[in-house]
Amino acid sequence: MSQQIPVWTANRGTMMMVKVALGQSGRTPIFVNSQAELERTMAESGSRLAIVGLAELQAAGLTVQALTGRFARETGWVVMVVGLPPPDGFGPGVKTLKVPFSAAELRQLIDSDPAPAGSVRPSTPGTQDLTAIVRAEIERIVREKADAMVADAVMKMVPELAEAMIRSELDRLLSDAAEKAVSTDPAPDDET
């Protein structure tokens, strides 16, 4: 198998995850942006495996079956899916990887035997690095909670801070006006 693997995704975060996973197994991703680039890269690299994002295929007006049908039967495919993969899968030789994923999950899909015809290999806790899954889920929950806490704090603190600043400025202006009113110096108009 070629050490260069074509990858069709436009998501920078996904690109980084793929780059890390492939780098850990001594492989090199070749990122492409279209079906034509994917076909050319597959031919030039001699790769019998490609990683594609379902969103990119749909944006190009393609289905997984239409794309995979253009290549040799022994070509392996990993389709990255955001959300739930279809229950009936994408067809023979196509493995499904749910985004977000760990480097171990992607490596395992690439290194495992080809998927039986019509099977779907979604990322499930029994077949992947459980520590990475737990870590990713904890990070997601912490990130969501932190965002909610910051938003809540801003909604409470900004009005209070604005009110305090307005009161302070108003007190200063009233104090200045009171000092001028009590002043023993003659008013500028009274000098005549």
Side-chain angles (χ1 to χ4, degrees), residues 46-86:
S47 180
R48 289 287 170 226
L49 174 69
I51 301 171
V52 297
L54 182 60
E56 285 73 20
L57 294 181
Q58 291 171 337
L62 293 169
T63 64
V64 173
Q65 294 80 2
L67 179 67
T68 59
R70 298 179 58 88
F71 293 88
R73 207 169 184 73
E74 62 273 0
T75 301
W77 297 89
V78 174
V79 177
M80 298 178 291
V81 178
V82 176
L84 294 175

Side-chain angles (χ1 to χ4, degrees), residues 3 25 50 54 62 71 76 82 85 89 99 101 105 133 135 138 147 154 158 162 170 190:
Q3 295 302 338
S25 62
L54 182 60
L62 293 169
F71 293 88
V82 176
V99 177
F101 55 88
E105 291 175 287
I133 294 169
R135 182 178 300 123
I138 290 171
D147 290 347
V154 166
V158 167
L170 187 57
D190 293 341

Side-chain angles (χ1 to χ4, degrees), residues 81-154:
V81 178
V82 176
L84 294 175
D88 55 350
F90 292 114
V94 180
K95 301 174 186 178
T96 306
L97 180 63
K98 190 172 178 337
V99 177
F101 55 88
S102 69
E105 291 175 287
L106 179 56
R107 285 192 319 272
Q108 183 177 7
L109 279 181
I110 291 170
D111 294 335
S112 66
D113 57 341
S119 75
V120 177
R121 297 185 91 147
S123 53
T124 58
T127 62
Q128 54 190 270
D129 181 8
L130 191 56
T131 304
I133 294 169
V134 171
R135 182 178 300 123
E137 185 65 16
I138 290 171
E139 288 173 2
R140 183 189 64 78
I141 291 169
V142 168
R143 188 172 42 252
E144 286 176 2
K145 293 291 184 187
D147 290 347
M149 289 173 59
V150 168
D152 188 46
V154 166

Side-chain angles (χ1 to χ4, degrees), residues 1-8 18-19 21-23 25-32 37-52 71 75-78 106 110-111:
M1 178 182 282
S2 173
Q3 295 302 338
Q4 296 180 324
I5 299 176
V7 180
W8 185 5
V18 169
K19 193 172 189 177
L22 295 182
S25 62
R27 297 181 177 103
T28 305
I30 303 172
F31 294 102
V32 300
E37 282 185 55
L38 178 67
E39 290 176 4
R40 186 181 71 245
T41 303
M42 292 284 286
E44 291 172 359
S45 68
S47 180
R48 289 287 170 226
L49 174 69
I51 301 171
V52 297
F71 293 88
T75 301
W77 297 89
V78 174
L106 179 56
I110 291 170
D111 294 335

